[in-house]
Amino acid sequence: MRWAIMIFWIVLALVAAGIAYIRLAPSDLEQWHAMPAFQSDSDFENGANRVVETGPDGLALLAEVAKAAPRTRLLAGSPAHDKMTWITRTKWIGFPDYTTAVQDGDILRIHARSRFGKSDMGVNRAHVDDWIAELKQREGRTGSP
């Protein structure tokens, strides 16, 4: 019985350490504030790429959408620099997902991916598609293309 209690506490400590690492690990800007080259929409195991025609103010509108998104904070960039990266964390454990957007003329390129694991079960695809839907609603309100 004594060994079982000790094993329980060791497992509990390992789980707590893992959760602390997930929540507190620093984000390397060179790795996460980066945009791969892509020309069309695509989905992959732990994320999604989207290309959206927005007009020149698309990134500024997306910044408003991201600012209102739950558990999302800006990691780096600004509309003035034509590139921004946000971290969105899951509700319970706090797994980080990174979304980078680049304004390229009238085109907005969005790259969403998870940091941990090989598959995000479509979470990033759904979240970026939700952001794009909200972006299009805001475009309609401001009179942008």
Side-chain angles (χ1 to χ4, degrees):
M1 182 66 161
R2 187 173 168 185
W3 285 103
I5 293 171
M6 188 167 65
I7 290 173
F8 169 78
W9 285 110
I10 290 170
V11 169
L12 187 63
L14 289 173
V15 168
I19 291 172
Y21 176 75
I22 288 168
R23 287 226 173 238
L24 302 174
S27 298
D28 178 15
L29 286 182
E30 286 188 32
Q31 180 177 4
W32 298 110
H33 188 53
M35 176 67 81
F38 60 91
Q39 299 302 319
S40 60
D41 292 356
S42 61
D43 298 327
F44 47 97
E45 285 187 90
N46 69 341
N49 294 325
R50 296 292 183 263
V51 178
V52 185
E53 190 168 340
T54 61
D57 61 345
L59 185 58
L61 289 172
L62 187 66
E64 292 176 14
V65 170
K67 187 175 183 177
R71 299 174 308 283
T72 299
R73 71 173 179 84
L74 180 64
L75 175 66
S78 71
H81 292 106
D82 292 331
K83 182 177 178 184
M84 298 179 78
T85 298
W86 299 271
I87 300 174
T88 302
R89 292 191 176 271
T90 60
K91 188 172 186 176
W92 298 106
I93 297 195
F95 285 104
D97 293 325
Y98 295 84
T99 305
T100 300
V102 172
Q103 188 73 53
D104 183 13
D106 289 346
I107 302 295
L108 185 62
R109 297 181 195 288
I110 306 170
H111 176 58
R113 68 272 189 212
S114 57
R115 178 171 181 170
F116 298 107
K118 292 184 179 183
S119 175
D120 69 353
M121 297 177 287
V123 168
N124 280 293
R125 179 183 64 241
H127 128 195
V128 78
D129 289 342
D130 288 346
W131 282 16
I132 291 169
E134 177 66 25
L135 171 71
K136 291 190 178 290
Q137 284 183 352
R138 289 175 188 246
E139 282 180 331
R141 284 183 258 165
T142 62
S144 298

